Structures are given as structure tokens and as C-alpha cells.
Amino acid sequence: MTSVRIWGTGAGAAVVLVAAGVWARGSSAVDAGLWAEVRPAIEARLVTQATGTGYAQTDEPALRSRWFCRAEALDLEASGGRVRAGVNTLCEEYGERAGALVLCSGAEIPEVVRLERDAADGGYRVVSEEQAPEDDSAEWAEHHFSRYAASRLDRGMSSTGLRAAARTHFGLPAGAPVRDC
């Protein structure tokens, strides 16, 4: 009788774990096709907003610095021709000096971006965005993202792709060192 209780408890626990795993996996799903459609509009907006605000633009113009940005989808909801995208964004300003890539400034910021389908070209355009305040981004994220998405903000974003794009832009080899401004 004891072995039946142990097996019954173990089987029940396994069912609970599998159900929790299925629920967590389902809550993390982002429609890759939709993300591919809205991502270019979001990233173009990021670069446009970052232009001209960095350290090197004003203090060392010889660097010919430029902003490079990327977004990572955390939550994505579509309704009709509108999309609500909860994203984490990373923008970094790079320049070039003496064969090295120079990192001048940057920021990683969670945002909620709303987009509409553009009737003229069929793509999407950003109609509004909301960023976390600097003083309380954790609480803001709790209220603007799913629990799973908010937990993903803690892992940070890699700048590897931005550095590769910056090296290509400045004609530097893939192994060019990165230095601070």
C-alpha cells in the first residue's frame, strides 16, 4: 500500500510539473512571422531617436560616431491591423579611432511599442511608445509585461550583433578591438 501512495504522489507531482512547463512555454511564445514584420519599424525608430544625442557627436566629431540599435520581442499581441509589442531595446553609439571600434555610449531600455499597418506600403509604422522610467523600471515592467517577459529583462541583451554591424560600417576587421570613448 505504501508503494501505491508513493507512486501516486510521484505521478501527481509529474503531472503538475508537465502542466506548469506547458503553461510557461505557451506564455513565452512570440509569433516569429509577426515579429519579422514589425521589428524593422521598431529598430528604425530606435536609431532615429538615438541620433545626435551621444557623447562622441559633441565631444569628438572625428570619430564619425553612429548609433546601432536592436530590439528583442518579449510580448507581442496583434488585433486587426494593430500590434502591441513589449520589447527590450539596446542602442549603442560606436565610432572608429586608429583601427579600433570605440564605444561611446549606450542604453538598454524596456518599451511598449504600438504599431499600425501602413495602408500605403502594407508594412507597419510606430504610432506610440512608452518607456520605463529610470527611477522605477522594475515596477513599470511588472505592470506592462507578462510575468515571463518581465523576468527576461533581468538577463540583459548582448551587444555582439551591434559590434559586428559597427565594425562592418567602419570597415574594420571582425577582430578589431573595442575601446571606450
Side-chain angles (χ1 to χ4, degrees):
M1 191 60 132
T2 304
S3 65
V4 171
R5 285 186 194 153
I6 292 172
W7 278 100
T9 303
V15 167
V16 168
L17 287 173
V18 168
V22 168
W23 173 82
R25 181 180 164 99
S27 66
S28 67
V30 170
D31 181 338
L34 179 59
W35 178 239
E37 287 186 67
V38 299
R39 183 178 186 170
I42 293 170
E43 290 181 345
R45 176 79 167 248
L46 290 171
V47 171
T48 300
Q49 290 175 334
T51 300
T53 61
Y55 168 80
Q57 292 280 334
T58 56
D59 294 345
E60 197 173 343
L63 283 175
R64 301 180 338 267
S65 68
R66 178 173 170 225
W67 284 93
F68 297 84
C69 299
R70 70 185 274 278
E72 179 181 286
L74 302 174
D75 287 327
L76 207 53
E77 300 169 24
S79 177
R82 296 184 174 174
V83 175
R84 179 197 179 277
V87 297
N88 200 13
T89 66
L90 177 63
C91 289
E92 293 181 330
E93 180 190 22
Y94 289 100
E96 183 271 332
R97 182 188 310 127
L101 192 60
V102 180
L103 173 62
C104 299
S105 59
E108 182 176 335
I109 302 171
E111 294 185 13
V112 172
V113 181
R114 298 189 193 292
L115 303 101
E116 287 182 349
R117 190 163 295 278
D118 189 347
D121 67 7
Y124 283 91
R125 63 182 177 83
V126 175
V127 293
S128 72
E129 59 192 311
E130 185 179 353
Q131 294 182 350
E134 289 181 31
D135 61 341
D136 199 7
S137 64
E139 185 176 327
W140 183 88
E142 267 183 45
H143 291 96
H144 289 79
F145 295 105
S146 68
R147 205 174 279 187
Y148 175 77
S151 73
R152 290 177 58 203
L153 291 170
D154 293 334
R155 44 174 216 190
M157 293 177 70
S158 170
S159 60
T160 303
L162 298 180
R163 289 179 178 190
R167 285 183 178 109
T168 299
H169 174 77
F170 291 109
L172 298 172
V178 179
R179 298 192 177 106
D180 289 331
C181 248

